[in-house]
Every structure is written in C-alpha cells, then in structure tokens.
Amino acid sequence: MSEEYGISSGATEHPEFRLRLPGGDGIDRARGVLLDAEGTNGSRKFLVRAGSPARAHVMPSFPKHFSGTYRRREELKAQGVLRPSERWPEWLELAEDVECGSPSSAAELLVGAPRNGWEEWKTEAGVPLADFMDGVRSGPNRAWLVRGSNVSGADLVQRLWLPEGRVSLSAARLRQEVGQGVSKERLRAFVEEDYGTTATYNQKLELVEELYAFLSWMKPGDTVCTISGGRLYVGEITGSVQQSASEGGRSNLRRPVEWQSTGYPYDELPEALQQKLSVQHDVVDLTAVQALVDGLGLTDEELADDAEDIERDPSVEVPAIAARRELELPQPGQELADELLVHDVEWLRELRDLLWDERQLVLYGPPGTGKTYLALKLAEFLGGGPEQVKLVQFHPSYAYEDFFEGFRPREDPQTHEVAFRLTAGPLRELADLASREGNRHVPHFLVIDEINRANLAKVFGELYFLLEYRNKSVRLTYSGDDFALPPNLFVIGTMNTADRSIALVDAAMRRRFAFVELSPRTEPTRGLLRRWLHAQDRDVEPADLLDALNARIDEPDFLIGPSYLMKKGVYREGGLERTWRTKILPLLEEHHYGEGVDTERRYGLQTLRTVIGHTGTPDEQDDGSGSVS
C-alpha cells in the first residue's frame, strides 16, 4: 500500500497535518500524521497527536448518521482521553495520541460533524493531505453513484458493502495488473483483449467508462452513494483500489468506504437528485447534485454551523443550503390582472396553480383570443423576466431534430466546409440553462405557439415520458446522453381550435397538459375588448358589434376573438370597416365554404349595427338570412 501511494514506511517520515476547528480562531489547530497501517477495510489509518483540541458539542444529527464515530468519541470521553481543556475553556483536548481509521474519521472525531479529512488536514503551508497521494488525480472531490443491489442477482450493498465498509465493481475478466490511475487508452485495450467475444461492442464501451471512473477518477475523500431496499446510502471513499478474488467475480475491484450509519428513504429525496439516481449505469457521476447529497439529513442551521470553519465570503450562501432552496412561482396580484385586463385575479392564480401542479399547460381557443400574448406575459411574470422565457412556434414540418437535438449541416468557420454536427434545439438549450448550478430555483418557461400544428408524437419523441415523470431520466436518441427535464422548466402551449380541433389531440398529450379555454363566450375573453376600450377611453361600439357577431356563430371553435379589434389601425379613419372586410369576413367565408351563406348579409357591419341598435329581444333579431324580424 505504501508503495502505491509513493510514501516510504515509518510514520516519523510523514509530514504533519493540521486541522482548523470551527470557531477555533483563538486556539491551536489539531495535529496528526498519516500512517502506513491499513484499517480493517483497507483504508489508511490516521494518528491524532495528544494536545489536539476538539469541540465540546456535536452536530445534532451526528449521533444518528455517524454513530460509530460518535460512540468512539463518547468512549474516549469516558476514559478521560478526550477531556475538558485547561488551556481553552469550553473546549476538549486529547490527553494522548489517538489512532483513527482514516483522516476523515479523525477529523469527525474532533469536530463532531461530517468532515472530508483528505482536504481539511493540511500541512503548515496549507497543502491538503490528498496532494501527497501518488496515483490519485488532483482537483476537488466529486460524488458518485455505484450500483450494488443487483450484481448477478446478489445485493452486495447489504451483504458486503455496508457490513465491511466497501464499495466494489465487477470486473471478473480484467487482468490483475490494472491498477489505480490507469489511462483510458490502456484500459480500452485491456478490456478489448480480456473480454473479447464475451461482451458486445456497446457493453465494452460502457465497461471502459465505468472502470475508468472507478480506477482513475475516484479518489479518497470522494462521496459515494448507493441504493438498496428503497433507501439511499451515503459514504466517503477512504482509500485506493484493491483487486481481489471474489465469488463469481462480483466484487473483485474494491475501495474502502466509511458509510453513514443510516440510509435516506428514496421517495423523500430531492427531485433533482432522484433524476440523477435514475440514470441506468453502474457508475454515475453525481457531482452536479453533490450539494444536495451533502445536505441530506441536515437542517440549514446545522449546515451553516458546519461551514463556519471554511474561509468563505459571507455574502455567498452555503452550497448545500442554496441547492435545497425551494422552487417558487410568485402569486399573481391585482397589478398583473389590471395589466392583462383580466376580470378576476383569481383566474390568473388558478393558471399559476395549474402550472405548479402539472408543469405543462395549454391555452386553447378560437383565433384572436390573446393566447400567445397571455402565455408570454404570464411566463415573464412567473419567471421573473423575459430572460427565462423562450418562444418556439410549431408547424407541420417541425420535427424532434428541430425541437430538441439532431444532426444539422454546419459550416466550419476556418475551412468553410459543411458537415453534419449534433445541434441543440430550443428545448435542450432552455433545459441546459435551467439546470445550471444557481438556476435550479429560478422558473424557466418554454412557450410553444400553435402546439397542435405539428405531429406531437414525432416532435416530442421520448420526451413525452419526461413531461409526466420529471424525477426520471432517459437515454437520448442522438447524443446518447442521459437526460431529465429540470423541475424548474415549465411549458405553456397555445392551440388554435379553428385550425385543428382539440378533439384530435391524443390521450398522451391530454394526460400531460392541463387545458384552459379562452373563449369569447366566457371570461376573461368575453369582456376583454370592452375593458380595453374603457381603458383607452374609446366608444364601446366595437365590443357591441363583436358580441353581436359571435351570437350569430354556432360553432364555438370559429368564434372571433377580441384581438382583431385591439389594434391602433382599427381606430384610424375607416379602420374598423377595413378590418371587418379584410380579416373577419374572410375567416367566416372559409368557415361557411360550400354552404351558400351570404356572409356579408349575415355578418357585415351594416347588418350588425342594425342589430345592436334594435331594442327588442334576441329572438326578434336577424335570423341570419339578412332580414330583421
């Protein structure tokens, strides 16, 4: 073991490392050295020097999640080895040297809270202990998922990993001399030669990636997670890779791990963490959600206390606290209702609640009912500004490759040669933006105009599944990436029912979207033009004309929305007549095509002005033939 790390035997030749305790600015730092001796699971032991200080209290959750270290601490206190300090009131002090199973357990013993000893034990010059390990990559620690609940039918998590303090990977045919730090190129050659025809091409590709992560990316101090029996178990890697014979080759590559004492119910984990855990590989990099893992089982107060010893900018939030910040959609108020001329603010709040519950919403109705305008304004309000909103319009030739990702011709800026390259579409771009660190609590909106004009099954592909199961991930068709829709990504679609009936929407889409109608027969659309005219201090005749017009149209999908009459051009000289003649009547002519209806006599301005000037009952008004009864 000592040769693998490049450290000669003899503890006296090891550098001395120091540990700064939380709130310990006025006291000495703890001191210790790394030993050559191995613990029971293969990790490196660490010796804490006598005279090292320790905190008098522990984090409230520490006895539950780190019960073994907590018991050791209590035993040392009972033996008088860890006793009240005479030099530092309200602190404890070691009366003699204490040997611990790893640098992290040594730090946890003194601090009474989770600690990554490989990074926090440092030389007097500030160099962390991890930098003295040969064959170990440099850089910050990462988090990993390693699956072990079904390895050739055996649950190694319960049989081996938790009882013996290990994590393992099956590599039954891999040659013995492959060790820690091997390059991916050499590993690829070994796998090709050692596995030959016993594995498919894709199996060997995946095996190389998993072995490379286990052998060369993982290092002491990294967080490791696994799932068994509906619970997530979290631990810390405490040593290098060991190769050993195992039953059926199920666990012949092993690393020592200090597991926390308890697991966390899978169903109660944060959604973003569940997404990553759903990726179907044996080894998965969880670094993107490491802050969520670090915060499991801890309150915000405990996390803040845990971060006291880190020289952090006080204006920067603790990562684990920031990562768990709840996603929120603001409640619309009367100010927004007045801006959108909505009859009742409660109607807007219902839209907000539907989006919160379903994350997908469709506004449907006849043309001119303000669906797109409302969708954009609502998205900008709920998202906090236009920067979080992206608009895309569907059309009959729109496809998955346009919407999400696909190979597109792109010109090389230097050679000017054109080649097909994998290109992200608007949904992939917005999803990547929404899932960035620091953005996960900020709502992002995709507005899809004319959503029913495209072949939705073709456009969404496997994304249909993700719209309903946001805590899952799927393997993408083109890139092969494992992808999940971020919880903070919302979709608002608009659907013109005159263009294509809502009845043609398939059941899959109906199940994944909430549908809200905007109809000239009901609020908020029915009175929208009248409210707008009042706000503009204009005569209400256009609203009366529109009401009379829609009263003569039998099919709800072909009613005329108020947006046609809410434009400045309508109110210039002759503007109302022009709009009626060139926009409204052509729609109705198409609606009645082949029926022999005289649209001018039935829907013309002169006819409708006669109707709204008549004081009789609706039954006495024009029956549509052009005469008034």
Side-chain angles (χ1 to χ4, degrees):
M1 176 68 74
S2 60
E3 293 179 357
E4 184 172 357
Y5 281 109
I7 300 175
S8 59
S9 60
T12 56
E13 297 187 26
H14 296 341
E16 185 175 75
F17 297 96
R18 301 186 178 193
L19 175 72
R20 179 179 180 273
L21 274 66
D25 292 336
I27 65 172
D28 291 350
R29 300 196 176 194
R31 297 176 298 112
V33 292
L34 186 70
L35 302 177
D36 288 331
E38 293 184 1
T40 55
N41 63 351
S43 60
R44 297 287 295 278
K45 290 186 176 182
F46 192 88
L47 184 73
V48 184
R49 299 289 196 195
S52 293
R55 285 206 300 184
H57 63 282
V58 300
M59 183 180 291
S61 62
F62 190 69
K64 176 181 179 182
H65 297 303
F66 297 85
S67 59
T69 306
Y70 176 74
R71 285 196 301 270
R72 177 85 188 283
R73 178 183 165 97
E74 292 301 300
E75 290 170 358
L76 292 174
K77 289 168 65 176
Q79 296 166 3
V81 176
L82 185 60
R83 61 192 183 188
S85 174
E86 297 180 359
R87 293 186 290 172
W88 309 301
E90 300 182 0
W91 288 81
L92 302 179
E93 184 176 347
L94 284 178
E96 58 187 62
D97 292 351
V98 172
E99 191 176 277
C100 299
S102 72
S104 291
S105 63
E108 290 161 358
L109 180 76
L110 300 177
V111 177
R115 278 298 178 273
N116 183 347
W118 302 92
E119 295 295 327
E120 298 197 27
W121 285 105
K122 298 178 181 180
T123 64
E124 189 172 3
V127 181
L129 187 156
D131 285 6
F132 290 83
M133 305 293 101
D134 285 346
V136 176
R137 62 172 177 82
S138 59
N141 286 103
R142 306 178 74 87
W144 305 91
L145 167 69
V146 184
R147 299 190 185 278
S149 62
N150 184 13
V151 181
S152 301
D155 186 348
L156 297 185
V157 177
Q158 302 297 334
R159 288 177 52 179
L160 174 69
W161 296 6
L162 298 180
E164 297 187 12
R166 299 186 184 277
V167 66
S168 62
L169 200 62
S170 175
R173 297 182 178 274
L174 190 66
R175 61 191 65 190
Q176 286 295 313
E177 63 265 26
V178 180
Q180 184 165 306
V182 63
S183 69
K184 185 179 287 189
E185 290 73 18
R186 292 189 64 200
L187 189 58
R188 185 177 290 113
F190 292 154
V191 169
E192 184 63 37
E193 183 176 340
D194 296 347
Y195 282 80
T197 59
T198 63
T200 66
Y201 174 75
N202 284 332
Q203 287 173 335
K204 285 185 280 190
L205 284 180
E206 192 159 317
L207 184 60
V208 168
E209 295 298 327
E210 293 171 351
L211 288 172
Y212 182 67
F214 197 85
L215 291 165
S216 300
W217 270 97
M218 292 183 188
K219 70 173 184 177
D222 280 4
T223 300
V224 62
C225 304
T226 194
I227 304 169
S228 176
R231 301 182 75 84
L232 178 74
Y233 295 92
V234 181
E236 180 189 290
I237 296 174
T238 58
S240 63
V241 175
Q242 302 162 327
Q243 258 187 318
S244 60
S246 64
E247 179 186 353
R250 291 190 181 102
S251 60
N252 49 321
L253 290 180
R254 303 181 179 187
R255 280 182 175 273
V257 173
E258 287 184 4
W259 294 102
Q260 294 182 20
S261 306
T262 59
Y264 305 92
Y266 186 89
D267 293 340
E268 298 176 11
L269 299 176
E271 189 172 40
L273 179 54
Q274 288 189 34
Q275 286 182 340
K276 281 291 187 181
L277 295 173
S278 70
V279 174
Q280 294 303 305
H281 297 293
D282 286 341
V283 180
V284 180
D285 190 345
L286 298 180
T287 307
V289 291
Q290 183 167 2
L292 292 173
V293 177
D294 293 342
L296 291 175
L298 303 175
T299 66
D300 288 355
E301 292 75 16
E302 290 167 343
L303 289 169
D305 181 57
D306 186 37
E308 283 183 6
D309 62 330
I310 302 175
E311 295 179 359
R312 179 190 303 280
D313 184 344
S315 65
V316 178
E317 197 170 8
V318 177
I321 297 176
R324 65 167 53 159
R325 189 184 306 158
E326 291 290 336
L327 172 69
E328 293 182 358
L329 289 181
Q331 282 286 1
Q334 190 60 48
E335 183 178 352
L336 181 64
D338 293 341
E339 179 186 351
L340 298 178
L341 299 174
V342 170
H343 67 298
D344 187 358
V345 68
E346 290 302 322
W347 185 84
L348 285 175
R349 290 174 178 169
E350 183 178 72
L351 292 188
R352 179 261 178 204
D353 292 343
L354 286 171
L355 277 168
W356 181 253
D357 293 336
E358 304 293 335
R359 292 196 177 99
Q360 291 91 227
L361 173 72
V362 167
L363 302 174
Y364 71 95
T369 48
K371 300 179 292 295
T372 303
Y373 178 82
L374 176 63
L376 288 170
K377 286 294 185 180
L378 184 64
E380 289 176 7
F381 171 80
L382 296 176
E387 299 82 4
Q388 281 73 249
V389 181
K390 183 181 284 287
L391 173 70
V392 61
Q393 187 172 57
F394 280 6
H395 50 77
S397 63
Y398 210 74
Y400 175 92
E401 292 80 4
D402 304 296
F403 185 50
F404 190 72
E405 69 176 13
F407 287 97
R408 292 295 184 201
R410 289 290 183 268
E411 183 182 41
D412 189 294
Q414 296 180 342
T415 65
H416 300 290
E417 293 181 353
V418 176
F420 282 89
R421 293 182 174 86
L422 188 62
T423 305
L427 177 57
R428 181 74 194 258
E429 290 177 343
L430 188 62
D432 289 345
L433 178 64
S435 60
R436 286 182 187 172
E437 281 190 88
N439 279 356
R440 294 187 184 122
H441 68 286
V442 179
H444 289 69
F445 286 82
L446 179 67
V447 176
I448 305 176
D449 200 27
E450 307 284 4
I451 192 172
N452 57 323
R453 295 191 68 210
N455 183 334
L456 296 180
K458 179 181 178 182
V459 170
F460 279 95
E462 68 269 22
L463 304 177
Y464 250 160
F465 173 82
L466 297 181
L467 289 173
E468 185 171 9
Y469 299 98
R470 289 293 187 99
N471 62 342
K472 302 292 185 182
S473 64
V474 297
R475 180 72 60 85
L476 296 176
T477 303
Y478 286 94
S479 65
D481 293 341
D482 293 287
F483 176 79
L485 281 175
N488 58 329
L489 176 59
F490 299 84
V491 181
I492 303 178
T494 69
M495 181 178 291
N496 186 345
T497 54
D499 182 44
R500 186 178 177 185
S501 173
I502 191 173
L504 298 179
V505 176
D506 63 22
M509 184 177 178
R510 285 182 176 277
R511 190 170 68 250
R512 288 162 172 82
F513 286 78
F515 286 78
V516 175
E517 183 180 18
L518 293 180
S519 170
R521 292 186 175 179
T522 59
E523 290 288 10
T525 311
R526 181 177 61 189
L528 179 61
L529 179 58
R530 198 172 299 276
R531 290 189 291 272
W532 183 80
L533 291 169
H534 280 301
Q536 297 287 318
D537 197 24
R538 298 184 185 278
D539 186 81
V540 297
E541 184 199 30
D544 295 335
L545 289 169
L546 185 64
D547 289 344
L549 171 67
N550 284 326
R552 291 167 166 250
I553 300 174
D554 297 327
E555 296 187 37
D557 289 345
F558 290 93
L559 298 177
I560 303 301
S563 297
Y564 289 101
L565 302 179
M566 295 173 64
K567 300 176 181 178
K568 290 183 179 180
V570 176
Y571 301 94
R572 293 197 296 266
E573 185 176 353
L576 180 59
E577 287 75 12
R578 282 194 302 272
T579 300
W580 213 272
R581 185 179 68 255
T582 61
K583 292 189 175 181
I584 293 177
L585 289 181
L587 283 174
L588 296 170
E589 287 173 0
E590 182 180 356
H591 171 45
H592 290 293
Y593 180 77
E595 297 178 6
V597 175
D598 187 336
T599 55
E600 178 64 37
R601 289 188 64 196
R602 184 170 183 175
Y603 304 115
L605 273 180
Q606 184 177 354
T607 301
L608 296 175
R609 278 174 170 151
T610 302
V611 171
I612 64 175
H614 185 61
T615 57
T617 64
D619 291 338
E620 298 173 329
Q621 296 179 4
D622 186 2
D623 61 2
S625 63
S627 62
V628 179
S629 59

